[in-house]
Structure formats: structure tokens, C-alpha cells
Amino acid sequence: MTRFSIDIWGEMCPIPLIKAKKKLSSMQCGDILVLETEHSCTSRGIVVWAKANRYIIEEKEVANGIWHLELTKTHD
Amino acid sequence: MKKTLQTIIHGPWAYWIGAIILGLLNILVLIVRRQPWGVTWNIEIWAEWIGTNLGVLSDRGFTFEGLMAASGTYLNLGLLLGAFWATLVASQVRFRPIRDKKFFFSALIGGLLMGYGARIAYGCNVGALLNGIASSSLTGWIFAFAVFLGTWLGSKLLLKYLM
């Protein structure tokens, strides 16, 4: 169970999602991907995508307009 | 109950709720205005008025009073102010600097192409696509086909140059 993170700060959809997908495919099951964004639609898009793909996703607004996401890779 | 109120103010709303509200408001615009909602036509007449005053365009008779009396002016202002207000209420307002020069230029070029395309097509996503299809105009369907084609091409360019 390793924690990875990628820098998506200031990037607009769909770039963060494409980066997250790419990173995810190189990770093992049980690994966690940590993401932080200041765009509500980026956060929303990743949460919706993760739920549709049955990954575990935790979203937290850590400050006004800043979202912290933790995505667990549950399956290949 | 508290959680529901929190979601209403702070979001996120489900996409289908937003879609229904947008649809109802769009009908309201059509009833009150007797003309479907459109964004770019009003931007064009403002641009023509500015161009005329700068002396780069020939006068087509747009006056400041006329523009201030146009319903489109208030629809567009309402769109901007409403989006800002919603962000403010949700306390998500934040100055977001541009991460990279390339995003600045891609947004600028994209905006110019979208604006130009919307005007030569006599409408944008809202005026030509949504309301075009809603009023069974063939334009809407042709526009939709072109949008898919353009989006496909845009995605290819995005993956190649902006990733």
C-alpha cells in the first residue's frame, strides 16, 4: 500500500483526469493516489469518474475552493 | 435537513437537477422574451458598437441606449453575475493564477475560434445547438455534428500539445 501523488494544481479538465488515469495504470491494487486541485469541476469530474469505475474516492474541501482527493485503486 | 440545505448552497448539485432547472428557465426565457436564449448575438452587437466607435467598422445603427435596452445584455450579465454569486455563496471564490503560458494562449486562440465559429454559424451552443434542436431546426443537428467533429479534433490537439 503505497501513496502516490501527482501535481494537477491549476490545471483544467480533462487534463487532470487523463493524468490520473495514466498514473493509476502504473499503480498496484490497494495503492492510494493523492490529488489536490483548486477547480471545483476538476474535483467533481474525478469523483464522478472514480465512482463510475468503482474505485474508493474521498473528497474533502480543505480550504475555501481547494479540494483534496484520495483515490484508492481497488481493482485493475 | 441541514445537510440538504448545505448541498443546495454549497453544492455539488446532481447533473440532472441542474439540467431540469436550466430547461425550465430556458422555457421561461422563451415565454417572456418571445425569442430563444442566445449568448453570442448580443456579444456581437456590443462588439460592433465598440468597433463603430473606434472607427474600424461601418455604422449599422447600434446605439448605447439600444444596447442597454436589449434583453440579451441582461441575460449575459446575469449569467456572469449569477455564476459569480453562486461561487461567492459557496465560499469558493479564489484568485486562480494561470499555471502555464501555453494554457493562456490555448484559451485565447480557443475563445477566438469559438466566437468566430458561433457568429458565422448564426449561434453558439445555446442559441444554435440547444434551442435549435429544441425548436426542431435542422441547423441544430448540423451544428451538433460539427461540435462532435470539432471536439474530437480538439481532444487530439489537447493530448498532443497541452498534456
Side-chain angles (χ1 to χ4, degrees):
Chain A
M1 215 190 92
T2 326
R3 284 169 76 88
F4 294 93
S5 72
I6 49 169
D7 181 18
I8 56 161
W9 194 256
E11 288 180 337
M12 298 279 212
C13 269
I15 295 170
L17 187 58
I18 297 168
K19 280 190 174 175
K21 273 186 190 171
K22 202 182 267 177
K23 184 74 194 169
L24 213 62
S25 64
S26 71
M27 288 163 48
Q28 301 291 317
C29 281
D31 289 351
I32 294 171
L33 182 61
V34 181
L35 306 154
E36 218 160 59
T37 178
E38 89 273 47
H39 287 285
S40 63
C41 43
T42 296
S43 181
R44 199 67 215 136
I46 292 173
V47 169
V48 168
W49 172 82
K51 281 186 178 162
N53 285 279
R54 294 177 290 110
Y55 292 121
I56 299 172
I57 182 94
E58 268 182 69
E59 183 191 36
K60 216 167 122 187
E61 196 174 344
V62 284
N64 288 347
I66 294 179
W67 291 267
H68 180 93
L69 298 166
E70 294 202 5
L71 198 157
T72 312
K73 184 172 181 177
T74 46
H75 57 84
D76 278 315
Chain B
M1 187 62 207
K2 193 158 175 277
K3 198 167 175 293
T4 316
L5 193 70
Q6 176 74 8
T7 309
I8 290 173
I9 295 171
H10 205 89
W13 290 13
Y15 289 137
W16 65 269
I17 296 179
I20 289 172
I21 294 175
L22 206 58
L24 291 175
L25 289 175
N26 199 12
I27 293 169
L28 199 66
V29 167
L30 183 62
I31 293 169
V32 173
R33 214 180 160 220
R34 291 173 186 281
Q35 193 184 333
W37 180 30
V39 178
T40 48
W41 164 243
N42 186 258
I43 298 175
E44 182 185 319
I45 58 177
W46 271 98
E48 275 201 44
W49 176 74
I50 293 168
T52 310
N53 279 289
L54 291 175
V56 290
L57 291 175
S58 56
D59 199 350
R60 284 218 289 154
F62 294 114
T63 60
F64 182 72
E65 288 73 27
L67 290 173
M68 290 309 282
S71 55
T73 301
Y74 299 96
L75 276 172
N76 285 355
L77 275 177
L79 188 74
L80 292 176
L81 293 175
F84 182 64
W85 177 73
T87 319
L88 208 62
V89 169
S91 53
Q92 290 171 353
V93 175
R94 168 171 292 281
F95 181 68
R96 296 172 167 89
I98 300 160
R99 174 168 168 148
D100 197 319
K101 252 201 339 272
K102 67 183 180 186
F103 292 132
F104 172 82
F105 287 112
S106 65
L108 197 67
I109 295 167
L112 281 171
L113 288 174
M114 273 168 74
Y116 185 73
R119 285 331 304 158
I120 58 169
Y122 282 115
C124 54
N125 272 336
V126 177
L129 181 69
L130 277 179
N131 292 316
I133 289 177
S135 56
S136 21
S137 146
L138 186 62
T139 310
W141 293 101
I142 298 171
F143 196 97
F145 173 73
V147 163
F148 275 106
L149 209 67
T151 311
W152 175 79
L153 189 70
S155 322
K156 294 275 172 210
L157 291 173
L158 180 129
L159 286 173
K160 197 161 184 230
Y161 297 107
L162 293 175
M163 280 296 289

